[in-house]
Amino acid sequence: AGKIEATNALWSLASISERTKLAIIDAGAVNLLIGVLGSPGTTRAHDEITAGVLWTLLSLNSKRSQGYWARYADGSGKSGESGETRGDVRVSVSAIQGLVPLLHTGSDVMREAAAGIFHLVAPSDHNKVCICKAGAVEALVDILVSVDNEAMRESAAAAIRMLPDFDDEQPVISASKQAVDALIVKLADRKSYDPRLTALLVQLCYDTCHAFLSGNSLLARAMSSRDGVEQSKDDLSKMDERGAKHFTGDMPLVDILTSGSPQLIENAREGLCWLSTASKVKLIEAGVLSALVDTCGAHAAEACFVVLKQACATVNGQGAQQCGAALARICQVHDPDGAIAGTIKQALDWVMPLLESGTAEGRTEAAGTLRCLASASEEMKVEMIRSGMFGPLVHLMSSGSKQGRQEAAGAVYEMLLLMDQCDVATNVTYDAAADVRFLLRNASPIGQMYAAGIARLCSTSPTNMEVLVASDTIEPLVALLVAVPLHRGVYAQEQAAQEAAGALLRLAAYGETKPEATSSPSAAVDEAPADDENVGGWFGGMFNVPITKVVEKAVPKQVKKSPKTEVTRLCRLLLDADSAAASDNQHAALGALLVRLVTDIYAYAPNHTATIPLALEPSGRQHASSGPGAEMCTLSATAATATAAAARAVAR
């Protein structure tokens, strides 16, 4: 009761004149009133009266009062020791907590007084932290967007605008100031107002305070070393959790990215870009990674790194591949200077343990992550090759799940692209060729594209060619060409067919000093003349259809051409066929002829079996008589029989 009466008396005195107000200030009443505001045992009515007196005193504008604030920067009559340079009185968290209810439910006069106090104390970095710690940002934003009192709205807007304006040189803080200003302008315009923008504004204020406290400023260090009103830095660094409700429940920030209009996303773009990494991690965990990258570009990279590292630390690696794909897209689209591409090499140290010792799902995620990261830049491919990624990936191609084998093939394919461009030799074992054959027959179209690409890129030496042919990869490669008319317009299927054509053309160059390297799988095929007539069929019955007419058409008797020329022509016929032609058995017969033609190149090559080395398997065992030599002999007999039958058909 005595405090209430004293506060009432001060309010009465403060209303007399400016000289009376200055006398009250000189007597030290401001700090006493701040200590009373929100203290235990005070009533709502007492807080209202105290707020009114404080507003009256703090709004006093004269040289003498300004000198007071300069002398009592830390409230003790001494110059501040924490690096505080602004001439403002300090408030406490409890004092701010006493003002917050007045903003929500006070009378118009008290709400205006409370908003005015926030405006007047906000310039101090210390007070900004206390305002955020007390959870007052939401109340200020609510005043900004929901009341009609212009003076009240201006006071709230001024306080909010000052909240990110810390005396700190961190780039994120400087950028946040601009983002907050832009959001305040958008919210002040009723046409562009959206409640989801208010959530973004609140989150951005808390995130900026978190960045300040996590920095190395004098005030941040001082607040981490003192007890009392200010809590420890560890507690204060949880400031971003104040806005955690914006990622749960209705999830307004998630809604901006998933269902916001293009105009809303544009209005929110700057604010989203300068959210803290912790907030962006929450958005990624909420399932909006792709939209976040599209909106924020390179600003989402650090959060992707955090989530990727967390995912690789688990045995199943859930989410790692998605982050790898996002980082690759950032490098390809949003990183023209290559700054981010140069930092993602560290991700290999996180992915390798998951690739080697994770569960089946984890190894699949790791392989998919490497495939994505390899597409980010040429430097990344070089780093992967140097880091010894080939061995674990090739092992996964034979021992992983179907999806894992496909992802591993994709990563190997990306590295082989660079090796092929740089003329780096590769060696193919029979086990690896068998894995390629498995993917050609059983993988999805994108996996078949990787497998066919591996076959093309490895067909760089006679030894590799012989291994691939002996491992029965010709027939599934041709199958991709025969099937393409039925999947016209499906990008992955068409790309798989192009890679298959490139592999067949390289394999047809067997016996040359060096196979012709093409800039793209279809480059050599494009040189072949197109046939205006369509032939059709289905590959499933390739060896059960008559091929007499096809042979007569594909290989005119009056023109004698080399096998490689005919392989090129047949590939073009198969690639250019439409769905109508594919219904004709002759289309499948062309595929059968192409298989026989390529295998004949190897079957009738002089001393071809003597050039095949006994490759070591991973276990160290050599292929015995049932291995390469026996396989090639069997292949030769099959090819000879098939070619003889084709020749008899032509003769008839």
Side-chain angles (χ1 to χ4, degrees):
K3 290 183 178 180
I4 296 178
E5 292 177 359
T7 306
N8 283 326
L10 285 174
W11 201 348
S12 299
L13 290 172
S15 62
I16 296 175
S17 66
E18 182 176 309
R19 293 183 61 184
T20 306
K21 294 176 184 177
L22 290 174
I24 294 172
I25 293 173
D26 285 337
V30 171
N31 288 312
L32 292 174
L33 289 169
I34 290 174
V36 170
L37 188 62
S39 62
T42 58
T43 64
R44 170 67 176 275
H46 191 192
D47 282 340
E48 289 185 358
I49 297 172
T50 305
V53 178
L54 278 172
W55 182 37
T56 301
L57 296 177
L58 292 174
S59 59
L60 183 62
N61 185 18
S62 70
K63 293 183 179 179
R64 186 174 181 185
S65 63
Q66 291 173 2
Y68 169 83
W69 304 133
R71 292 196 312 274
Y72 293 87
D74 64 351
S76 64
K78 300 178 181 178
S79 60
E81 300 176 356
S82 61
E84 182 72 44
T85 59
R86 300 176 187 270
D88 299 304
V89 67
R90 287 176 180 268
V91 296
S92 63
V93 174
S94 60
I96 297 298
Q97 289 172 338
L99 288 171
V100 170
L102 302 184
L103 288 174
H104 285 301
T105 58
S107 64
D108 288 347
V109 174
M110 286 300 102
R111 295 178 76 186
E112 185 175 353
I117 291 174
F118 278 112
H119 174 202
L120 295 169
V121 302
S124 163
D125 285 354
H126 174 277
N127 294 346
K128 292 184 182 75
V129 173
C130 291
I131 290 171
C132 292
K133 187 67 180 69
V137 181
E138 292 92 336
L140 289 169
V141 173
D142 184 62
I143 292 290
L144 175 66
V145 301
S146 65
V147 302
D148 296 325
N149 186 312
E150 193 64 28
M152 199 183 305
R153 293 183 63 195
E154 288 181 0
S155 294
I160 297 169
R161 187 173 279 111
M162 292 177 187
L163 288 179
D165 190 15
F166 286 98
D167 187 15
D168 194 303
E169 296 180 356
Q170 293 185 63
V172 65
I173 292 179
S174 301
S176 295
K177 299 175 190 176
Q178 301 176 10
V180 167
D181 282 345
L183 285 172
I184 290 174
V185 172
K186 297 296 181 184
L187 290 171
D189 183 0
R190 298 298 182 182
K191 294 182 179 179
S192 60
Y193 168 76
D194 189 291
R196 289 169 288 189
L197 290 179
T198 64
L200 178 59
L201 177 57
V202 171
Q203 187 66 41
L204 191 58
C205 290
Y206 283 127
D207 283 357
T208 308
C209 186
H210 174 267
F212 169 72
L213 291 168
S214 301
N216 198 36
S217 68
L218 293 174
L219 177 61
R221 292 202 303 268
M223 294 186 73
S224 68
S225 62
R226 292 203 307 264
D227 295 326
V229 175
E230 301 84 5
Q231 298 184 12
S232 68
K233 185 176 180 181
D234 291 338
D235 291 336
L236 289 169
S237 66
K238 298 178 182 178
M239 194 66 62
D240 62 302
E241 296 180 2
R242 277 286 181 186
K245 66 180 182 180
H246 302 311
F247 306 99
T248 59
D250 294 337
M251 297 190 296
L253 299 192
V254 175
D255 288 343
I256 291 176
L257 294 169
T258 56
S259 59
S261 65
Q263 184 60 48
L264 175 62
I265 293 175
E266 186 60 33
N267 290 340
R269 186 184 306 277
E270 188 175 7
L272 289 170
C273 287
W274 294 107
L275 287 174
S276 69
T277 299
S279 292
K280 290 172 185 170
V281 167
K282 291 186 179 76
L283 288 172
I284 294 174
E285 292 171 346
V288 292
L289 173 57
S290 180
L292 182 66
V293 172
D294 291 340
T295 303
C296 299
H299 294 288
E302 187 174 353
C304 290
F305 277 119
V306 172
V307 177
L308 175 59
K309 186 174 183 179
Q310 292 174 349
C312 290
T314 64
V315 293
N316 59 9
Q318 184 175 1
Q321 181 176 341
Q322 188 182 25
C323 288
L327 286 169
R329 189 159 82 253
I330 289 172
C331 292
Q332 295 163 356
V333 180
H334 305 287
D335 186 34
D337 298 331
I340 297 173
T343 63
I344 63 175
K345 298 175 183 178
Q346 60 183 311
L348 298 180
D349 295 334
W350 311 331
V351 179
M352 178 63 93
L354 181 63
L355 179 64
E356 294 179 330
S357 58
T359 62
E361 294 80 2
R363 296 169 69 197
T364 299
E365 286 279 346
T369 302
L370 291 173
R371 173 181 60 80
C372 295
L373 293 178
S375 66
S377 65
E378 301 300 299
E379 292 77 7
M380 190 63 186
K381 294 176 184 177
V382 171
E383 193 65 27
M384 288 174 60
I385 295 171
R386 288 176 176 173
S387 300
M389 293 293 179
F390 255 110
L393 287 169
V394 171
H395 177 68
L396 185 59
M397 283 178 61
S398 61
S399 61
S401 62
K402 183 177 177 181
Q403 183 64 27
R405 297 172 78 167
Q406 176 174 302
E407 295 292 354
V412 171
Y413 171 73
E414 291 289 347
M415 289 186 284
L416 287 174
L417 284 173
L418 178 63
M419 296 174 69
D420 184 64
Q421 294 171 9
C422 300
D423 292 328
V424 178
T426 57
N427 296 315
V428 180
T429 66
Y430 286 92
D431 290 333
D435 296 333
V436 171
R437 181 186 66 228
F438 172 85
L439 291 172
L440 288 171
R441 291 176 174 171
N442 302 288
S444 66
I446 191 70
Q448 290 174 327
M449 184 197 77
Y450 295 144
I454 291 174
R456 174 178 70 86
L457 296 169
C458 289
S459 298
T460 54
S461 68
T463 299
N464 287 354
M465 295 177 182
E466 291 165 357
V467 171
L468 288 168
V469 173
S471 299
D472 297 329
T473 59
I474 304 301
E475 183 175 343
L477 284 171
V478 174
L480 296 178
L481 292 178
V482 175
V484 72
L486 300 178
H487 303 280
R488 191 68 67 190
V490 180
Y491 176 79
Q493 197 79 42
E494 292 186 343
Q495 288 299 112
Q498 293 286 354
E499 288 286 4
L504 291 167
L505 291 175
R506 282 196 172 188
L507 290 171
Y510 181 70
E512 297 181 0
T513 304
K514 180 181 179 181
E516 295 181 6
T518 57
S519 58
S520 64
S522 59
V525 178
D526 290 337
E527 298 174 1
D531 198 316
D532 294 333
E533 299 183 39
N534 290 322
V535 292
W538 177 241
F539 189 69
M542 131 179 320
F543 292 108
N544 300 319
V545 296
I547 62 171
T548 304
K549 295 182 179 179
V550 178
V551 173
E552 291 175 350
K553 176 180 178 180
V555 189
K557 294 180 180 180
Q558 68 273 20
V559 179
K560 187 173 182 180
K561 299 180 180 180
S562 68
K564 183 178 178 181
T565 302
E566 287 307 299
V567 169
T568 302
R569 186 166 184 266
L570 288 173
C571 287
R572 172 51 59 201
L573 286 172
L574 293 171
L575 285 173
D576 290 345
D578 56 24
S579 57
S583 63
D584 192 330
N585 283 340
Q586 291 183 352
H587 186 72
L590 276 179
L593 180 61
L594 180 57
V595 171
R596 295 174 185 179
L597 184 57
V598 176
T599 53
D600 276 356
I601 294 174
Y602 293 80
Y604 292 103
N607 301 322
H608 64 278
T609 55
T611 63
I612 302 179
L614 297 179
L616 290 178
E617 294 180 330
S619 62
R621 294 184 293 106
Q622 286 187 334
H623 290 277
S625 58
S626 60
E631 291 177 26
M632 186 57 72
C633 290
T634 303
L635 177 61
S636 300
T638 303
T641 303
T643 306
R648 288 195 298 272
V650 172
R652 288 197 297 270

